[in-house]
Amino acid sequence: MILDNRGLEPPQPMMRTLTALAKLQSGETLTIINDRRPMFLYEQLDELGYKHETIEREDGSFQITITKG
């Protein structure tokens, strides 16, 4: 699943992401695209045990791939 959060004002990207993550089964992946690096989201992901990888895209946005452990 890909969730494009570009153009949304905080806290909408984080709320949309957490809602989508709650629907994932173990081993499933969610990819989000944000205008900025989601620093507060990383803390939540670490606390909840999700693995994540961030790539800065050519347009300056960030693509974060999140996997439920």
Side-chain angles (χ1 to χ4, degrees):
M1 175 191 313
I2 297 177
L3 191 60
D4 189 342
N5 291 323
R6 291 176 289 184
L8 299 176
E9 291 297 317
Q12 285 301 314
M14 181 129 160
M15 300 308 294
R16 289 182 75 208
T17 300
L18 293 175
T19 298
L21 287 175
K23 299 175 184 174
L24 288 185
Q25 301 297 317
S26 183
E28 289 185 328
T29 299
L30 170 68
T31 299
I32 63 170
I33 302 170
N34 283 16
D35 290 319
R36 12 189 178 326
R37 195 178 293 269
M39 300 311 291
F40 295 113
L41 177 63
Y42 294 140
E43 295 173 15
Q44 289 285 325
L45 295 175
D46 291 340
E47 286 178 19
L48 296 170
Y50 289 93
K51 296 177 184 174
H52 52 89
E53 178 183 2
T54 302
I55 299 169
E56 186 169 359
R57 297 163 43 117
E58 287 183 18
D59 65 0
S61 65
F62 293 88
Q63 177 177 311
I64 302 92
T65 303
I66 306 164
T67 305
K68 185 170 185 173

